[in-house]
Amino acid sequence: MGVLEDLRSAMAEAKVDAVVIPTNDPHFCEMPPEHFARREFVTGFTGSAGTAVVTTEEALLWTDARYFLQADKELSDQWKLVKDRTPGVPGIHEWLRDNLREGDKVGVDPTLFAIAASERIKSCIQPKNIELVFLSDNLVDKTWTSGRPPLSADPLRIHPMKYAGLKVEDKLSKISESIVAKQATDLLVSKLDDIAWILNLRGSDVPNTPLFVSYLIIRDDATATLFCDQTRITAEVSELLTSSNVSVSAYEDTFPHVSSRVSQGGRFWLDPGSTSVAAFEASSVDGSAPLKAETPIELMKAKKTEVEMAAMKSAYLKDGVNWAKFLCWLEKTLAKGEKPTEVEVSQQLETIRSELEGYIGPSFETIAAAGENGAVIHYRPVPESTSPVTLDNSFLCDAGCQFQEGTTDITRTVHFGEPTSWQKECFTRVLQGHIAIDSSIFPPGTTGHAIDAFARRHLWNHGLDYKHGTGHGVGASLCVHEGPMGISSRTNPVALDKGMVLSNEPGYYEASSPSIRSWSMSAS
């Protein structure tokens, strides 16, 4: 049988009429460790955002505008693409409500759904008497019985103070003050980048991102427990943790420990947007009600210290050298009449940057798009269908690095021949938007939503636009996409503040050409 047939057989055993398969892992990483890539396994769609719904008769994938073209190419005819956030197109919750029958059951893995997300689903489908069922076993796991990548067993490494700027104990002390103020006893941290930042540790579990699978419990006395694979703790890491009042326990002991603490009179603080339903249930024993509220960690992490800022500038200087060498190579190669493929160009970029001191790896898969491929916003060249880069077409390259000092993300659109007048005009309007953001001056309390139109105005004047955000945060040797702030047409209440580092990336795309994105980083 095929994957869908196997999954529907598992659904019948579990007595559910539909199953929702998110991209999420238990820690809500943007790019989950390959071990947790269940949605990709089921659908064949490799984009970083999307949710699948499988019923007894239908199979659907919701994804956003960045991936419409990619999903069209990757989905088999067994799947229907649902273009999320498009006018008139129902969201997942509404589709379930309108297409399932009264009394049907929707199965989900409670470790993969945040508290807030599950509450939204419930509120939508319950009025129709459709039940949300928290499954004890993940149904995809029952079908993914071979070829599943294991979790990493590589040792953790210390992110040194010369790049971090704040000691672990100082971060724990600050967070514990908030725990006391919230009248809680413990804070459960699920997000891997939050854990890595707090503990000044890095790993290799997540593709292109130096994180490690774990949970962290911080107590009101500024002590903490890290739950992870204990075999990965080196003597050096153990010394750092011990000196910072952090103990270590097995990953699988997390939820039993939570329930035990609650039984002893503890009260947990959970972030409803990044903590799973399974964690909520573990902290709700004996009639206890956990505190559900945003934590200060994400905002603390987003406001870089002076040390982190200096390290990130060093990383971008290195990557600037890398780009100069790369574009010089590409220009000379094309001038000789050669036509390297997108894959060959990506490989050459990797060769050049791998020679840089402190280079760890890419911060995301390189987007190397020739001509019309640039219209696929998150395009990835593959050997089977790679296009040549020539003097006759534009070339869009979006690439980033993980250095010991920091994380980079840069895009350039170039043309080494003679671009058309339309390409020149579109490039100019995108560049005008880029400059408008880069040179903007705004009062304290201004959100990214308030300045997003600056980047689009010159495109709007001619009826043009782009279907992605204008800017996202970037971590300090962490995630290439970091919240909670952003610059986007979507409302975000988080104000831009000192120490935040954001991308500035307006663009314009046409399926036939031109496709343009102009990108740099800005520090507020």
Side-chain angles (χ1 to χ4, degrees):
M1 290 195 297
V3 172
L4 281 177
E5 290 79 6
D6 288 343
L7 181 58
R8 287 180 172 128
S9 177
M11 289 166 56
E13 283 185 33
K15 298 180 180 179
V16 294
D17 305 284
V19 63
V20 181
I21 308 163
T23 301
N24 300 340
D25 61 29
H27 304 278
F28 305 97
C29 298
E30 181 182 15
M31 292 294 291
E34 293 179 352
H35 179 78
F36 295 117
R38 298 181 175 100
R39 189 266 300 152
E40 180 178 334
F41 169 76
V42 170
T43 65
F45 169 63
T46 61
S48 65
T51 300
V53 172
V54 177
T55 70
T56 55
E57 297 179 352
E58 295 188 81
L60 307 97
L61 174 78
W62 275 256
T63 191
D64 62 56
R66 296 172 298 167
Y67 297 107
F68 290 166
L69 293 176
Q70 180 179 343
D72 271 332
K73 291 181 178 180
E74 293 183 343
L75 293 176
S76 73
D77 56 10
Q78 292 180 295
W79 288 87
K80 177 184 177 182
L81 171 62
V82 184
K83 296 182 176 181
D84 201 14
R85 302 175 193 163
T86 300
V89 174
I92 295 167
H93 312 161
E94 291 77 19
W95 190 93
L96 291 170
R97 178 196 63 202
D98 297 340
N99 289 272
L100 296 184
R101 297 163 298 185
E102 186 172 336
D104 278 354
K105 296 181 179 181
V106 179
V108 299
D109 181 341
T111 69
L112 304 182
F113 277 80
I115 300 165
S118 70
E119 290 174 347
R120 287 193 295 269
I121 296 178
K122 281 184 180 179
S123 66
C124 187
I125 67 176
Q126 278 185 340
K128 195 177 173 180
N129 195 30
I130 298 171
E131 182 182 355
L132 186 66
V133 178
F134 297 128
L135 302 167
S136 57
D137 297 306
N138 188 291
L139 300 187
V140 176
D141 292 354
K142 292 179 176 293
T143 69
W144 199 0
T145 56
S146 63
R148 186 174 184 181
L151 287 169
S152 174
D154 295 341
L156 307 185
R157 60 180 174 85
I158 293 175
H159 186 59
M161 278 296 295
K162 65 179 180 179
Y163 302 139
L166 278 177
K167 294 181 179 179
V168 175
E169 53 265 41
D170 292 338
K171 298 175 188 178
L172 292 175
S173 177
K174 186 70 174 177
I175 295 167
S176 70
E177 291 174 6
S178 296
I179 295 173
V180 172
K182 288 288 189 179
Q183 298 183 326
T185 61
D186 300 73
L187 170 61
L188 175 64
V189 186
S190 297
K191 289 187 66 179
L192 302 187
D193 57 329
D194 288 351
I195 296 170
W197 176 78
I198 293 168
L199 299 180
N200 290 343
L201 294 176
R202 300 294 187 266
S204 58
D205 299 21
V206 178
N208 306 314
T209 310
L211 308 179
F212 54 98
V213 173
S214 57
Y215 288 98
L216 181 68
I217 291 177
I218 305 172
R219 290 176 279 275
D220 54 4
D221 62 358
T223 63
T225 300
L226 172 66
F227 296 85
C228 67
D229 179 352
Q230 293 166 288
T231 64
R232 305 177 66 186
I233 303 295
T234 65
E236 184 182 25
V237 168
S238 179
E239 183 180 349
L240 169 66
L241 294 175
T242 300
S243 66
S244 305
N245 295 313
V246 180
S247 59
V248 181
S249 290
Y251 180 81
E252 57 270 19
D253 290 342
T254 306
F255 293 160
H257 181 92
V258 169
S259 297
S260 176
R261 286 281 290 174
V262 173
S263 296
Q264 297 168 19
R267 187 189 186 210
F268 270 81
W269 180 2
L270 309 177
D271 186 329
S274 62
T275 309
S276 70
V277 172
F280 176 79
E281 292 179 333
S283 61
S284 303
V285 297
D286 299 333
S288 175
L291 169 66
K292 295 186 291 183
E294 291 184 356
T295 77
I297 299 171
E298 194 171 30
L299 196 56
M300 290 171 62
K301 181 175 85 263
K303 297 178 182 179
K304 310 296 186 290
T305 66
E306 292 183 3
V307 171
E308 286 176 316
M309 194 70 79
M312 291 190 74
K313 288 179 180 178
S314 174
Y316 273 95
L317 181 61
K318 287 183 177 182
D319 207 4
V321 172
N322 161 55
W323 273 89
K325 290 181 177 180
F326 167 64
L327 292 176
C328 180
W329 168 83
L330 182 56
E331 184 175 28
K332 289 180 178 179
T333 299
L334 295 177
K336 290 187 290 186
E338 299 180 23
K339 298 179 180 180
T341 67
E342 296 159 327
V343 169
E344 290 169 340
V345 169
S346 297
Q347 292 170 341
Q348 180 64 24
L349 175 60
E350 179 63 20
T351 297
I352 292 172
R353 62 190 183 185
S354 65
E355 298 171 354
L356 296 170
E357 182 182 357
Y359 177 70
I360 296 170
S363 56
F364 56 94
E365 288 186 50
T366 295
I367 299 170
E372 63 185 30
N373 291 336
V376 182
I377 296 173
H378 281 195
Y379 174 78
R380 299 287 187 274
V382 293
E384 299 78 29
S385 59
T386 185
S387 297
V389 180
T390 73
L391 293 172
D392 299 322
N393 58 19
S394 60
F395 175 63
L396 187 155
C397 188
D398 186 348
C401 299
Q402 291 288 0
F403 293 104
Q404 291 179 355
E405 299 97 316
T407 304
T408 70
D409 186 356
I410 298 174
T411 304
R412 293 291 181 267
T413 304
V414 294
H415 198 306
F416 292 107
E418 182 57 42
T420 66
S421 59
W422 179 237
Q423 287 176 320
K424 292 176 182 179
E425 181 175 344
C426 292
F427 186 94
T428 300
R429 299 196 180 284
V430 170
L431 181 59
Q432 286 174 315
H434 181 96
I435 293 171
I437 291 291
D438 195 55
S439 60
S440 60
I441 299 173
F442 46 84
T446 300
T447 65
H449 174 69
I451 67 171
D452 178 73
F454 297 179
R456 301 177 190 268
R457 180 170 66 89
H458 297 282
L459 290 165
W460 285 351
N461 287 343
H462 290 262
L464 309 177
D465 201 358
Y466 52 94
K467 295 182 179 181
H468 58 71
T470 298
H472 59 79
V474 175
S477 191
L478 287 169
C479 298
V480 75
H481 292 161
E482 179 178 86
M485 66 292 177
I487 305 173
S488 172
S489 58
R490 299 174 66 190
T491 302
N492 183 336
V494 179
L496 305 180
D497 205 347
K498 183 179 180 181
M500 293 179 173
V501 177
L502 296 100
S503 66
N504 174 7
E505 50 177 299
Y508 178 67
Y509 311 89
E510 287 184 4
S512 58
S513 188
S515 295
I516 296 155
R517 188 155 66 246
S518 181
W519 189 318
S520 67
M521 304 306 298
S522 301
S524 56

